[in-house]
Each structure stands twice: as C-alpha cells, then as structure tokens.
Amino acid sequence: MKVLVTGGAGFIGSNLVDRLLAEGHQVVVVDNLSTGKRENLNPAARFYEMDIQDPQLAEVFARERPEVVNHHAAQMDVRRAVEDPVFDARVNVLGLINVLENCVRNQVRKVIFISSGGAVYGEPERLPADENHPIRPITPYGITKYTGEKYCYFYRVVHQLDYTVLRYGNVYGPRQDPHGEAGVVAIFLGTLARGETPTVFRYPDGEMERDYVFVGDVVEANLAALTRGSGAELNIGTGRGTSVSELLAAVQRTMGTDIEPRYGAARPGEIRQTYLSIERAERLLGWRPKTNLEQGLWETAEWFRQRAA
Ligand SMILES: NC(=O)c1ccc[n+]([C@@H]2O[C@H](COP(=O)([O-])OP(=O)(O)OC[C@H]3O[C@@H](n4cnc5c(N)ncnc54)[C@H](O)[C@@H]3O)[C@@H](O)[C@H]2O)c1
C-alpha cells in the first residue's frame, strides 16, 4: 500500500520507512529536517522537504493520494515545550490538524498517530500504567500529544477517518539522537566510548525508571497497525521498568567498560518512575517486543561504532 510518513527523516520514522520499503510498500516522506537528517532518508522513498503546517501540504496529498498516513513528525523536545508552549502547540496540534484535514479531503483510509506513554499519564499512580490510567500530563508536550489523540477520535467519529494511537515508551536504537526522550542511551554510549565518566541523575529518595523499547520492535508495531488496532489507543513498551543505574550497567557490559559513575541531582518536574502495560497491544495488534535490553543495546552500540569509523 502507499504510506505517507511524516517525520520520516527522524530517528524512529526513518527506521519505519526502511522497513515499509523492505515489505514492498510505496513510501512518501514529509519532513522539514528540523531534527531529522538527510542521511536517514531512504532514496527509494519520495521526499518532500516541508513543514506539516504548510498549506502546500494539500498539493502533496493531492498528488500522492496515500492510503495510510503515519504521523511521526512532532516537536518532541520536552524542555523546549516548557519554554515555548506556543511553538509546541503549533507543531503538535495545528500541524496535526493540517495533516488530518488533508487526510479527509483525499480519502485517506487511516492515520497512525504517535503519542507518548511516558508523557500522557504524568507520574503514574499504578504500574505498569495501562491505557485506562488517568491522563495527567505534567508538560505542554504531554498535553499536545493527548490533544492529538482526541483530534484523531473526532476525525474518526465525524469524518470516518480510521486511526490507531501508539503511545511509546522510551525508544532507543540505531540513529537515535542524544536529545530525544530516550536520549540517555545515546549519551551513555557516547560518554563510555570516549572513556569519560557518566553521570547518573537521581532524586533523594531514589532513581528514575523508564520503559526502554527497541526501535525495531516499535517499527513492527507500526506495521501491524496498518491493518489492525482500529480506533484504539495502545501502549508500545516492554512492560518493564529499568532504573538509570541498571541501564548504565547494561551499557557498560555492552561496551566492555567499568567506569565508576558520578551522581547528580535529578531535575524536579520530571516523571520519576514509569513503565507501560502492553497487554492491549498484544491483544489488538498481535504484537509483542522481541528484543531484550542487552540485544537492543548491542545493536545500538554497533551502529554508533560503525558511524564513528
Ligand atoms: N524517541 C522516543 O523515545 C519517543 C517516545 C515517545 C514518542 N515519541 C514520538 O515519536 C515521534 C518521532 O520521534 P523521534 O524520536 O524519531 O524524534 P526525531 O526528532 O528524530 O523525529 C521527528 C521528525 O519530525 C520532523 N519534524 C519535526 N517538526 C516537523 C514539522 N513541523 N514539519 C515536518 N517535519 C517535522 C523532524 O525533522 C524529525 O525528522 C515523535 O512524534 C515523538 O513525539 C518518541
């Protein structure tokens, strides 16, 4: 089928584009290269360098007529969202509405919208957080992601545009950037490769814990969502929490290093402990993650090594 991937030059989007092409799908990419990279672009996909808010997006849709739109483009820097919530809302809400309006005008069958399981629940009151957990985002980014979900619901009810929402945990893997939500994996890999001392940020009463999910598994969930998970919000994670120290120990094993970390105080206002229940995705997508942390870190480290060489 023909799939238009917004954000297809980014970390996760570009991994998805490669896999869609390998499966024989036709792929169109819309990306403004704000954080995405030209080198991530698969030459077999048709590329439009464009902002998702651009009125000219209408021409791309009219020319390409995709069957499915996979929406990965976003302002996803949580700190920037706090400093400039207007910019965050422009990209994540107005940009999305522009995409959805074009979907309706061009009879797109389905949109796959990428949300964040690490952001929409706030500090979870029960773990693992399932999709029925109260929604209490504590950042503008979490608010705009959840708003995006509600727009998808509206377009389905009123315009019969089908959707699946995928709420990711902390995605890591090849092409990841140290600045993203799961940036700590890239930061540790870089720090240890240079032989420098890593820093573990923690709260007085304990460490942060996150659900680290490998990008290859996330891509498989997107493939399943082409035909399944209609009208559903689905967590995409591993169901397991990993503390920063556990993560660092795993990265050290991968790198063959044993450097004593220094400890620093975690910034207030960040979520302390979160991991996601993935039962609903297992049931509705027939999906489950296949890559454990050791394997995923090994593949990620391999990619960083090759790029450095
Ligand atoms: N990385 C994670 O752990 C994680 C977790 C939860 C959700 N997500 C979501 O997954 C998606 C992809 O994230 P990523 O980690 O690959 O980040 P990324 O920054 O690598 O990818 C985002 C892509 O969108 C593009 N983009 C940004 N604003 C745009 C705009 N206005 N118009 C067109 N293109 C634009 C960027 O150039 C980039 O290629 C985002 O929606 C993000 O919110 C990521």
Side-chain angles (χ1 to χ4, degrees):
M1 66 182 77
K2 192 173 207 177
V3 184
L4 188 151
V5 181
T6 69
F11 156 46
I12 306 168
S14 68
N15 277 288
L16 170 65
V17 167
D18 290 350
R19 184 77 175 86
L20 285 167
L21 288 164
E23 284 293 303
H25 297 292
Q26 277 178 279
V27 181
V28 178
V29 171
V30 173
D31 196 303
N32 68 354
L33 300 181
S34 53
T35 54
K37 298 187 183 80
R38 209 171 273 281
E39 72 202 48
N40 289 345
L41 284 167
N42 190 313
R46 187 141 49 213
F47 173 54
Y48 295 89
E49 185 174 344
M50 189 178 283
D51 196 295
I52 50 167
Q53 301 166 81
D54 195 327
Q56 287 186 38
L57 191 65
E59 286 150 41
V60 174
F61 270 78
R63 190 174 318 131
E64 298 292 351
R65 311 279 306 195
E67 180 181 340
V68 172
V69 169
N70 183 298
H71 189 57
H72 269 81
Q75 188 306 111
M76 55 94 68
D77 182 333
V78 175
R79 237 171 297 170
R80 177 153 191 201
V82 173
E83 280 158 19
D84 191 355
V86 173
F87 174 74
D88 179 79
R90 278 202 185 108
V91 178
N92 292 358
V93 180
L94 299 182
L96 171 68
I97 294 174
N98 193 31
V99 169
L100 294 172
E101 281 293 315
N102 279 295
C103 287
V104 171
R105 270 184 241 126
N106 294 280
Q107 290 84 45
V108 169
R109 177 175 61 79
K110 179 172 192 179
V111 62
I112 298 166
F113 173 65
I114 307 309
S115 183
S116 170
V120 299
Y121 303 121
E123 187 71 52
E125 62 188 37
R126 56 171 190 267
L127 290 164
D130 59 41
E131 293 83 349
N132 293 324
H133 184 283
I135 302 292
R136 288 194 199 112
I138 56 167
T139 61
Y141 169 74
I143 296 170
T144 56
K145 281 289 174 188
Y146 188 62
T147 304
E149 297 186 10
K150 294 292 108 184
Y151 273 102
C152 291
Y153 182 75
F154 160 73
Y155 277 85
R156 184 171 192 255
V157 172
V158 173
H159 297 290
Q160 293 78 50
L161 171 63
D162 193 11
Y163 75 84
T164 298
V165 166
L166 302 179
R167 294 178 180 160
Y168 294 167
N170 277 48
V171 188
Y172 71 97
R175 296 186 188 151
Q176 99 170 91
D177 191 288
H179 310 296
E181 279 190 51
V184 62
V185 172
I187 292 169
F188 281 161
L189 284 169
T191 306
L192 297 175
R194 291 188 299 272
E196 294 168 6
T197 303
T199 307
V200 172
F201 293 103
R202 56 185 181 186
Y203 293 104
D205 53 346
E207 283 200 25
M208 283 194 265
E209 212 170 296
R210 294 285 183 272
D211 190 334
Y212 294 96
V213 58
F214 185 62
V215 68
D217 288 324
V218 168
V219 162
E220 292 308 313
N222 278 273
L223 254 70
L226 290 173
T227 52
R228 304 181 69 170
S230 177
E233 290 73 29
L234 304 169
N235 288 339
I236 300 297
T238 65
R240 285 199 44 213
T242 302
S243 73
V244 184
S245 287
E246 282 170 335
L247 179 74
L248 176 62
V251 177
Q252 300 247 40
R253 282 196 294 279
T254 308
M255 303 288 290
T257 57
D258 189 15
I259 306 176
E260 192 58 34
R262 76 167 74 87
Y263 292 91
R267 271 193 312 267
E270 276 195 68
I271 288 157
R272 210 185 109 187
Q273 191 188 27
T274 172
Y275 49 94
L276 305 171
S277 162
I278 52 170
E279 274 171 33
R280 195 189 281 183
E282 290 181 335
R283 200 159 27 86
L284 298 183
L285 293 182
W287 167 90
R288 50 174 305 116
K290 296 202 180 89
T291 316
N292 67 30
L293 191 61
E294 308 283 319
Q295 290 167 316
L297 287 175
W298 193 85
E299 277 193 47
T300 312
E302 229 0 73
W303 181 81
F304 275 94
R305 265 195 286 270
Q306 274 168 19
R307 205 179 55 152

